[in-house]
Amino acid sequence: MDRSQFGQIVQQHKDRIHTYAVWMLKDFDAAGDIAQESLARLWQHRGEIHNGAARTWLMRTTHRLCVDRLRRRTTRAEVSFDDLVRPPADAESGPPAMAERDEAKTAVLEALAKLSPRDRAVVLMREYDGMSYEEMAATLGVPLSALKTTLYRARRRLKEALNGTGVTP
Amino acid sequence: MMPRESAIAMTCDAAQDAIQARRDGELPAVETNRLDAHLNACGECREFDAALETVGNVLRSLPAVPMPGDALAKVWERAERARLSGPASIHRLLSWPTAAVAAALLFVVLVGPLALRPQEPQFSDAQVAQAASEAEYVLALTGRVLARVEQETFEQVIGEHVSPALERIPIRLP
């Protein structure tokens, strides 16, 4: 991987890993720090990683850094999910359907925030990022069967947490 | 809740696994009819399916959060700082053998012809020591030159390829 190829990989994946970190941590500063660290580590280890593996390697590194950050976090610098997804001001007086969608969105994000980091990670990887089972298993370093068990259990917990918000699908 | 073993031969646990597998495109076709039969008879699993539909719709609609433009420059700073300070940096370890090979080649080119000339007198200890000292100097100089070239390339990448592209990236918060 030379500098030009690294630049291309950065352009392709920087927003993806940053977004993942934001949704995992709910903390813009920490997410930016982790995205930088992941990319810097990719550059440092470029001799060991072929270009085709960079996507999974970056996601795995970002995920591990996020989990580590969550474990070490003593003070919560989180922003509200509402702040992350708040619609533009001129959309706030939109039709009732939009209000319902916003209500559902808030409920889902609140439920997501109640999950453990690992459960939140698998749900985000699958539902937001659209990763395949195989890619998720490689990213998390677990067998495919264990990945399915984790994902299915995480969704059940998400459904339970969603019940607690009082919003019905 | 359906009984764990029912006449339609699918428990709610199995049905909720199958619901997820189907949403992920992983359910074998042969299981589809069994799942649909279960859903026709089980309101709780239909609700589970609907909840996953909502979750999927919400999460897929979340906005991307672009990495701030100045953050990429910090990536390079961080990588360079790690290269300079990391004692076990692979990059650093690779640089010195390269410099050593370059210095050895220079030494052979400069000193080799002298050594091969039969009419030349034998070198004194002082001359050998001086040659060794000069070789060390060449080695150090070569290392510095390599580091300088690397730094310039580094700056070129930042200045000519990465930063302009970043300037075109719209930075907006959701």
Side-chain angles (χ1 to χ4, degrees):
Chain A
M1 181 189 305
D2 60 24
R3 291 173 193 277
S4 171
Q5 291 167 332
F6 177 71
Q8 290 174 5
I9 288 170
V10 168
Q11 292 301 328
Q12 286 172 3
H13 299 297
K14 65 184 179 64
D15 291 343
R16 175 175 177 251
I17 60 172
H18 182 254
T19 300
Y20 176 79
V22 166
W23 293 117
M24 277 295 285
L25 302 172
K26 296 172 63 184
D27 180 340
F28 281 118
D29 291 340
D33 185 50
I34 281 173
Q36 289 172 35
E37 181 64 23
S38 298
L39 292 168
R41 288 190 186 187
L42 175 64
W43 177 246
Q44 288 161 24
H45 292 273
R46 65 192 180 281
E48 308 153 37
I49 304 161
H50 65 82
N51 295 356
R55 172 185 162 93
T56 300
W57 192 96
L58 268 176
M59 197 63 178
R60 179 164 56 235
T61 303
T62 303
H63 168 72
R64 288 177 177 172
L65 290 172
C66 284
V67 171
D68 184 56
R69 184 67 62 102
L70 286 168
R71 284 187 185 135
R72 289 189 293 111
R73 186 150 72 184
T74 53
T75 57
R76 301 177 77 81
E78 295 181 357
V79 294
S80 160
F81 272 132
D82 283 346
D83 290 339
L84 297 178
V85 298
R86 182 176 292 156
D90 59 356
E92 287 181 352
S93 58
M98 182 173 290
E100 287 176 13
R101 282 201 300 272
D102 290 344
E103 186 183 9
K105 181 177 288 186
T106 300
V108 169
L109 293 177
E110 282 180 8
L112 186 69
K114 292 175 182 170
L115 298 183
S116 69
R118 192 172 188 82
D119 285 352
R120 198 187 312 173
V122 292
V123 170
L124 280 172
M125 286 178 187
R126 177 62 210 167
E127 301 289 353
Y128 176 76
D129 204 76
M131 291 169 68
S132 67
Y133 286 178
E134 289 77 10
E135 193 177 6
M136 292 167 68
T139 298
L140 296 170
V142 298
L144 198 57
S145 57
L147 179 276
K148 285 185 187 178
T149 302
T150 303
L151 176 63
Y152 290 1
R153 192 172 54 218
R155 281 176 169 148
R156 283 193 171 96
R157 288 177 178 151
L158 184 63
K159 167 67 168 61
E160 290 168 10
L162 201 54
N163 287 344
T165 67
V167 172
T168 53
Chain B
M1 171 78 73
M2 294 285 288
R4 296 194 71 79
E5 292 297 336
S6 69
I8 54 176
M10 185 175 266
T11 66
C12 285
D13 281 347
Q16 292 182 8
D17 281 355
I19 286 167
Q20 297 189 60
R22 179 154 71 179
R23 303 195 70 81
D24 294 336
E26 300 279 345
L27 185 68
V30 69
E31 292 290 311
T32 300
N33 288 342
R34 291 176 67 221
L35 174 60
D36 286 338
H38 181 95
L39 287 175
N40 283 335
C42 180
E44 184 170 333
C45 286
R46 282 198 303 274
E47 185 192 335
F48 181 79
D49 193 22
L52 290 194
E53 174 74 15
T54 301
V55 166
N57 288 339
V58 165
L59 295 182
R60 280 190 294 274
S61 73
L62 291 179
V65 188
M67 192 171 170
D70 64 338
L72 200 57
K74 291 177 184 172
V75 170
W76 291 107
E77 288 174 16
R78 195 181 288 229
E80 178 65 1
R81 198 163 55 238
R83 186 185 71 84
L84 293 174
S85 63
S89 164
I90 289 173
H91 199 74
R92 193 175 187 180
L93 293 174
L94 289 175
S95 293
W96 279 106
T98 306
V101 169
L105 287 174
L106 275 175
F107 184 83
V108 169
V109 169
L110 294 175
V111 180
L114 296 175
L116 292 174
R117 290 168 65 185
Q119 67 275 24
E120 289 291 330
Q122 293 295 313
F123 294 109
S124 67
D125 289 345
Q127 287 174 315
V128 171
Q130 183 179 356
S133 172
E134 289 173 351
E136 278 187 9
Y137 176 73
V138 170
L139 179 66
L141 191 63
T142 306
R144 288 169 57 188
V145 168
L146 286 174
R148 177 68 177 274
V149 168
E150 188 176 34
Q151 178 66 26
E152 287 178 356
T153 307
F154 186 73
E155 290 169 357
Q156 188 181 28
V157 169
I158 292 174
E160 296 182 9
H161 297 293
V162 178
S163 295
L166 279 175
E167 289 171 6
R168 291 195 295 273
I169 296 174
I171 306 298
R172 59 178 175 78
L173 296 178

